[in-house]
Amino acid sequence: MSDLEAWRAKAATWCEAMVPTFGKAARKGLGVEDDLALGRRYQKAKFDAGFAGINWPTDLGGQGLGHIEKITFEAEEMKHGFPSFYFSISLGMPVPVLMQFGPDREFVKERVLKALQGEEIWCQLFSEPSGGTDLAGLRTRAETDGNGWKINGQKVWTSWAQYSDYGVIVVRTDPTVAKHKGLTYFWVDMKAPGVTVRPIKLAGGDSHVNEVFFDDVKIGDDHRMSPVGGGFAVAIATLMIERYVATDSAGFGPHLGLFIDLAKEVQLNGRPAIEDGRIRQQIARNYAMRAGLDSINVRARRMMEAGMTPGAEGSLNKLVAVRSRQKLSELAIDLQGVGGFAFDEHASPKDDWASSWINAPTGRIAGGSDETLLNTIAERILGLPQDHRPDKGIPFNQIPA
Amino acid sequence: MSILYDEGQQAIATESRRALEARVSKDDLLPLLQTQGEYHQAFWSTAKEQGWTALALPEAHGGLALGLVELGLIAHQAGRTLSGAPFLTSSFGAAKAIELYGTDEQKAHWLPGLASGDTIGAIAFASGADPLPAKPAVTLTGDRLNGVAGAVSGGLFADVAVVFASGPALALVDLTSAGRTAVDSFDNSRCIADLSFADTPAETLATGEAARAAALHILALQAVVTAHEQTGGAEALMEIARDYAVTRKAFGQPIGAFQSIKHRIAELYGLVELARANCIHAASREGAGDFITAAAAARLSATEAYDTAARDCVQIHGGIGVTWEIGLHLHMRRARSLALEQGSSFFWEDVLVDRLAGDEG
């Protein structure tokens, strides 16, 4: 057994042992607050068992292992539906960025340890009402205020902000220069006076994203994590932290096996749906697509094991998988006829077709819409020209609103 | 077998690409379309010289003892350059059938010639729409073959064919005494012929259910080679589309700056990479229990990639894209002929779903 296989086995064993306490069945029927409390205990258990901060430095409470060990653990973890998603943003981007750019090292260490143990949660304050895709077009501003800064404006789509203790934020500090050049990166205390968090209820019924308002929120200059005017580079670094994360060729929706089971159970025109050519075609096409993604991911893992950098094709995961999940979910509802109307707001998108369907659009938009990803592939990978950008090189305050 | 190419394999890809780009041009290919029964001699002599015909055959019979992964790499490059001869796939399929199901005598007789490329092999399984028919049009009685195997790719020049005959049986037939009629096709460089047998002497490779399983296995091996060829063709088209989109201007800017164009090309990238991933995986599963499943997935995604790339690349070019001279129709034609040759998508969808639904081994 290779070291990695031994690691995988160890991870699998631990995850299995956690199922009774933290698995799907244990979480069934819990409200968000109780589920979050369970999540904090799960995160602490992970930390104690040596599965938190797997690829982070040991002097900050991490395990000092590689990215490959991290995604190997996550692939095992993903199988059981543990309450880990409250920490996915926090430990995914803001805390690693804090580790890299946080100016006060003692403060950083304290925060990282608390975040790793589930005691504190961080959010990422990037998107705004006037722009998600156009990150550099943001309008929330910070003005100098004595020795520090004063923030005013609004962020939106901020995941878990209502439960967050801290956040990283990009704001405009100079509107008289071109839009990318007038941004600065800070961390903020989410409990500071002037910060108001308002949850947004999404189509599927849950409210994990928020609007966040800043009214004269005062922060010290020691909160600054980039040079003044140098925030865009740190924002991009935040987004680039992990190109290969634990992936799911089902687009975080139901496994194809569940669709096949359904197609065997239900009848179309008096015959099992699994015998219907339209259904068979969809199964086959979906399988071929998902198998392709799986192979891309396996290849990427093998490359990382061999010390190489995986290719750009890893960028296809979200684009291809979530789109197909959306269509397959529609088809699964169709297959059930009027039986497909039944809807349980708390059902898991991993094993319930209606829940998968109604939540699928979020997956196609969050973290870059299909169209944004296609632009990225076209421009960065294939070398096609950039879109026409009339705001290029123009001072921010002269761009027509 | 690994899903990652090693240095030797990458060298095969580079060398075959170099050899093909030096020897194959679209100007050689265009005339083939207007002449029945011609194939691109330069391609086939390159294949022989470079040892590609010997690549995946056993050393004892003149082969190089490499495998499907290496042959796939070459097929990918052949697909990029629109290799104008169908034999790389069909001779390989025929040789594998003999290697896996033949007697020592049959191997000694046929394999060295197939390995050197001096002997050309064909596979004749299909009857009409069905690539692996329940009732084959050709019958094997004792050691005699009767009937017509319709539209066999490479059949016009093949020396030996492996035939799926009623019984069912898998038969090996020396084509010296078979009748041949060239079939006019939209892709004439495939050298398609109807092969007719009238009490033609044949030898049995397998009978009954074993014959059907053997035929499906051979078809899957060929499908994986073809899928690489299709992926290579799709990749070439994606690059042609990209190159055109950055140079051709309209409304004062390169057409590639329009999202309707750039997204279309980015979507092709997705199709090509999924097909490539499935191809590499399938080739690495030769001999494993899930080989047929992997082959079906490779075949389906490669067919979709090549057909879509052919459609979209022409569309992106506008009027110039449909001219005889620019040659995009060569890819259109090849995409469709390769989509048919090893069984259409309907066939592979059924093969795949039967396996996924647990109705088949």
Side-chain angles (χ1 to χ4, degrees):
Chain A
M1 203 188 304
S2 73
D3 289 353
L4 191 67
E5 276 313 304
W7 168 260
R8 184 192 304 281
K10 187 180 147 196
T13 308
W14 184 80
C15 288
E16 292 288 346
M18 292 301 113
V19 169
T21 321
F22 301 112
K24 266 183 229 161
R27 293 176 61 197
K28 204 169 169 64
L30 291 186
V32 180
E33 304 286 340
D34 290 337
D35 195 47
L36 172 59
L38 189 74
R40 290 188 195 271
R41 291 202 294 281
Y42 172 67
Q43 185 62 36
K44 179 73 165 71
K46 251 166 91 167
F47 180 82
D48 292 341
F51 291 118
I54 289 168
N55 58 340
W56 294 5
T58 48
D59 60 346
L60 290 172
Q63 301 299 319
L65 298 170
H67 186 68
I68 185 78
E69 281 85 1
K70 175 177 181 282
I71 59 175
T72 300
F73 174 80
E74 284 171 357
E76 292 301 323
E77 184 185 39
M78 201 162 62
K79 295 173 183 170
H80 305 288
F82 295 135
S84 56
F85 57 130
Y86 302 103
F87 311 98
S88 57
I89 299 282
S90 176
L91 301 176
M93 278 91 66
V95 177
V97 161
L98 180 76
M99 289 195 294
Q100 201 179 335
F101 297 98
D104 176 349
R105 298 319 286 173
E106 269 313 301
F107 175 81
V108 168
K109 188 171 178 179
E110 208 179 310
R111 296 283 78 71
V112 171
L113 278 167
K114 294 215 176 212
L116 273 180
Q117 296 178 77
E119 284 178 47
E120 291 177 356
I121 297 175
W122 285 65
C123 61
Q124 178 174 310
L125 300 145
F126 279 22
S127 291
E128 294 194 3
S130 62
T133 301
D134 181 12
L135 174 60
L138 58 86
R139 291 171 184 280
T140 297
R141 63 194 187 277
E143 290 143 333
T144 48
D145 179 64
N147 292 329
W149 301 81
K150 191 173 68 184
I151 303 176
N152 277 289
Q154 184 196 346
K155 296 286 177 178
V156 74
W157 308 127
T158 314
S159 295
W160 309 119
Q162 71 269 56
Y163 306 118
S164 288
D165 302 281
Y166 299 94
V168 290
I169 186 169
V170 192
V171 295
R172 187 162 307 281
T173 43
D174 185 357
T176 67
V177 294
K179 62 180 187 175
H180 295 79
K181 295 182 176 163
L183 306 176
T184 305
Y185 201 109
F186 297 93
W187 63 266
V188 290
D189 181 346
M190 292 297 287
K191 313 293 183 204
V195 179
T196 309
V197 177
R198 194 182 293 161
I200 300 170
K201 185 166 175 164
L202 294 183
D206 65 18
S207 307
H208 71 271
V209 295
N210 302 272
E211 295 177 290
V212 183
F213 298 88
F214 292 86
D215 296 304
D216 286 338
V217 176
K218 292 181 179 173
I219 58 172
D221 192 54
D222 58 350
H223 287 40
R224 189 158 53 80
M225 292 165 71
S226 76
V228 175
F232 191 69
V234 179
I236 293 298
T238 311
L239 299 176
M240 292 289 158
I241 279 179
E242 279 172 331
R243 205 154 105 206
Y244 276 89
V245 294
T247 46
D248 177 18
S249 62
F252 301 95
H255 193 269
L256 191 60
L258 286 178
F259 187 84
I260 294 174
D261 291 345
L262 177 66
K264 284 175 162 177
E265 281 162 26
V266 303
Q267 302 251 318
L268 270 184
N269 298 319
R271 283 182 320 216
I274 189 75
E275 291 171 15
D276 188 289
R278 294 162 294 186
I279 301 301
R280 295 174 75 80
Q281 183 165 63
Q282 292 304 318
I283 292 172
R285 298 287 166 127
N286 260 281
Y287 179 84
M289 184 279 295
R290 292 171 183 214
L293 288 182
D294 287 338
S295 291
I296 286 174
N297 294 330
V298 170
R299 207 163 32 150
R301 248 175 274 159
R302 297 261 190 284
M303 291 187 83
M304 287 188 268
E305 274 178 75
M308 297 182 272
T309 308
E313 62 274 11
S315 60
L316 291 169
N317 263 294
K318 190 180 100 78
L319 174 69
V320 179
V322 187
R323 264 200 306 209
S324 94
R325 160 191 157 188
Q326 191 173 32
K327 280 202 231 170
L328 195 70
S329 302
E330 287 168 3
L331 195 61
I333 293 172
D334 275 351
L335 266 184
Q336 300 170 71
V338 291
F341 281 125
F343 180 65
D344 170 4
E345 189 174 293
H346 301 294
S348 161
K350 284 296 288 177
D351 47 31
D352 181 273
W353 291 107
S355 172
S356 166
W357 162 73
I358 204 157
N359 290 301
T362 316
R364 287 186 63 181
I365 293 164
S369 66
D370 289 9
E371 291 70 22
T372 305
L373 296 178
L374 287 169
N375 260 15
T376 306
I377 290 169
E379 294 173 12
R380 299 270 176 87
I381 301 174
L382 300 176
L384 285 158
Q386 284 198 341
D387 283 4
H388 177 51
R389 290 178 182 165
D391 59 358
K392 211 169 185 174
I394 296 176
F396 182 77
N397 58 9
Q398 288 174 35
I399 296 169
Chain B
M1 192 79 72
S2 171
I3 197 170
L4 274 191
Y5 293 135
D6 63 28
E7 268 178 44
Q9 289 162 339
Q10 282 166 7
I12 287 175
T14 314
E15 177 56 24
S16 56
R17 179 165 179 167
R18 192 199 57 75
L20 284 167
E21 283 176 355
R23 300 286 286 277
V24 177
S25 101
K26 82 167 166 44
D27 295 330
D28 303 336
L29 300 174
L30 284 171
L32 298 181
L33 296 175
Q34 293 171 309
T35 334
Q36 251 184 58
E38 290 291 331
Y39 60 88
H40 191 224
Q41 301 277 357
F43 168 73
W44 192 238
S45 29
T46 304
K48 292 200 281 188
E49 284 161 21
Q50 301 280 325
W52 299 339
T53 51
L55 205 71
L57 300 181
E59 268 176 302
H61 300 290
L64 296 172
L66 295 169
L68 203 47
V69 174
E70 288 79 6
L71 189 59
L73 278 165
I74 286 163
H76 180 92
Q77 300 303 335
R80 284 184 61 94
T81 47
L82 278 160
S83 74
F87 316 133
L88 195 65
T89 305
S90 65
S91 281
F92 166 72
K96 285 305 277 188
I98 295 167
E99 183 199 330
L100 293 171
Y101 309 107
T103 62
D104 287 345
E105 200 176 311
Q106 286 164 337
K107 290 181 208 177
H109 183 71
W110 291 109
L111 290 184
L114 286 163
S116 70
D118 294 329
T119 302
I120 289 173
I123 290 289
F125 292 174
S127 296
D130 199 337
L132 200 55
K135 290 181 183 156
V138 179
T139 56
L140 179 71
T141 315
D143 61 355
R144 300 285 151 171
L145 212 53
N146 280 286
V148 176
V152 176
S153 286
L156 207 50
F157 292 99
D159 303 293
V160 58
V162 178
V163 180
F164 188 64
S166 66
L170 203 57
L172 181 64
V173 56
D174 183 332
L175 291 176
T176 317
S177 46
R180 303 171 206 246
T181 315
V183 173
D184 207 4
S185 152
F186 54 76
D187 187 4
N188 268 335
S189 61
R190 305 310 284 169
C191 307
I192 298 164
D194 291 338
L195 300 179
S196 52
F197 307 109
D199 279 336
T200 309
E203 296 164 27
T204 307
L205 291 173
T207 57
E209 274 314 297
R212 176 169 293 279
L216 179 59
H217 185 68
I218 296 303
L219 209 51
L221 285 168
Q222 293 199 143
V224 172
V225 179
T226 304
H228 279 85
E229 202 172 333
Q230 292 170 300
T231 306
E235 179 187 75
L237 284 168
M238 176 187 76
E239 291 172 11
I240 291 168
R242 189 262 326 270
D243 293 348
Y244 188 72
V246 297
T247 47
R248 170 76 181 183
K249 288 189 175 171
F251 304 104
Q253 58 180 328
I255 60 168
F258 298 114
Q259 286 194 344
S260 58
I261 302 289
K262 71 201 282 191
H263 286 190
R264 215 177 254 255
I265 302 173
E267 297 277 11
L268 291 182
Y269 173 80
L271 293 177
V272 168
E273 289 305 326
L274 288 174
R276 185 201 314 276
N278 277 328
C279 282
I280 299 173
H281 176 69
S284 76
R285 298 305 291 168
E286 186 185 2
D290 60 356
F291 174 63
I292 303 273
T293 301
R299 173 69 175 159
L300 287 171
S301 53
T303 299
E304 188 186 357
Y306 202 9
D307 275 334
T308 310
R311 268 195 311 269
D312 288 3
C313 188
V314 171
Q315 189 68 21
I316 285 164
H317 277 70
I320 190 87
V322 291
T323 59
W324 178 265
E325 199 52 38
I326 196 174
L328 290 179
H329 61 100
L330 285 160
H331 273 296
M332 270 174 62
R333 292 164 193 268
R334 184 58 50 80
R336 284 278 85 211
S337 58
L338 292 184
L340 280 183
E341 276 185 14
Q342 318 302 336
S344 71
S345 290
F346 293 121
F347 174 78
W348 288 107
E349 282 166 2
D350 276 335
V351 166
L352 182 54
V353 175
D354 283 346
R355 273 165 175 70
L356 296 178
D359 298 339
E360 194 81 33

